[in-house]
Amino acid sequence: MIDPDHTNTGDSLKYNEAGYLVAPKPGDSRWGQCSLVLALLFPFFALLNKWSWLPSAELLKSTRVFQILLKQGLLSDQQVKNAQFLLACLFVSIFCSVLPYFKRNINKYSMQHPPPRALKKLWPPQIRGTIAIGVLLFIVPVIAANFVEWGAPIDILAPKGAMFIALLLLSEGIYFAAEGSACGALYTYFYLKYWRLDD
């Protein structure tokens, strides 16, 4: 019987009201929530032109999508500096969320034989889905920028609102792909070290 208020059931897992497994995620921690907030705020601060103290953004300028955005005048040099600084903060926050995530969950299910069947069977599709969402979000602005370079109307990305959405998709894509990858790494550890013996 699934507990309607999402509490633990007999297999030590949590389910939502629809019976969908709520697998452990890095985003459940404080650092993970901080990463999500940074990803959401990324376009707001990236589009500012007031942070004169930031260093050069050579790393982002070496990527094709930002080369196109600069070449077409859709982002200024300062905005690319902002983006690189904020993406660095996002990566640090994501990294910091992964460490406590592993520490919290590494001993939670690994020693269970047999492992919780729902976690073993339902978690991988969730991992693949999260990574797929991240990749799709990330490639939409990349494709749009390439279309502009190939001759599509610059209005696709030129309005400020469109650039805001493009940057939001980039940051959210990174967030979801990173979260799915962290979940995948934990699942792989469980499976290779413990759970494959139960197949």
Side-chain angles (χ1 to χ4, degrees), residues 35 38-39 85-95 171 174-175:
S35 300
L38 279 172
F85 172 73
L86 291 166
L87 285 176
C89 293
L90 179 59
F91 278 112
V92 169
S93 179
I94 289 171
F95 178 77
S171 61
I174 291 170
Y175 173 81

Side-chain angles (χ1 to χ4, degrees), residues 10 15 19 31 34-35 38 41 54-55 60 67 77 87 91 96 110 120 129 145 149 153 176 178 182:
Y15 301 84
W31 274 109
C34 178
S35 300
L38 279 172
L41 293 178
L54 293 178
L60 281 190
Q67 288 174 356
D77 187 70
L87 285 176
F91 278 112
C96 290
S110 59
K120 188 175 180 181
E149 189 180 48
F176 279 104

Side-chain angles (χ1 to χ4, degrees), residues 9-15 21 108-124 187 190 195 198:
T9 59
D11 59 6
S12 77
L13 303 176
K14 290 185 179 181
Y15 301 84
L21 173 68
K108 194 171 182 179
Y109 309 113
S110 59
M111 298 299 185
Q112 295 187 29
H113 294 287
R117 181 171 180 82
L119 191 69
K120 188 175 180 181
K121 299 300 181 184
L122 300 180
W123 196 12
Y187 178 86
F190 284 163
W195 294 352
D198 297 296

Side-chain angles (χ1 to χ4, degrees), residues 175-187:
Y175 173 81
F176 279 104
E179 181 166 272
S181 298
C183 292
L186 183 62
Y187 178 86

Side-chain angles (χ1 to χ4, degrees), residues 46-49 69-70 73-82:
L47 292 174
L48 294 176
N49 274 309
L69 295 175
L70 280 168
L74 300 175
L75 285 180
S76 68
D77 187 70
Q78 181 60 50
Q79 288 169 332
V80 177
K81 289 181 182 180
N82 296 346

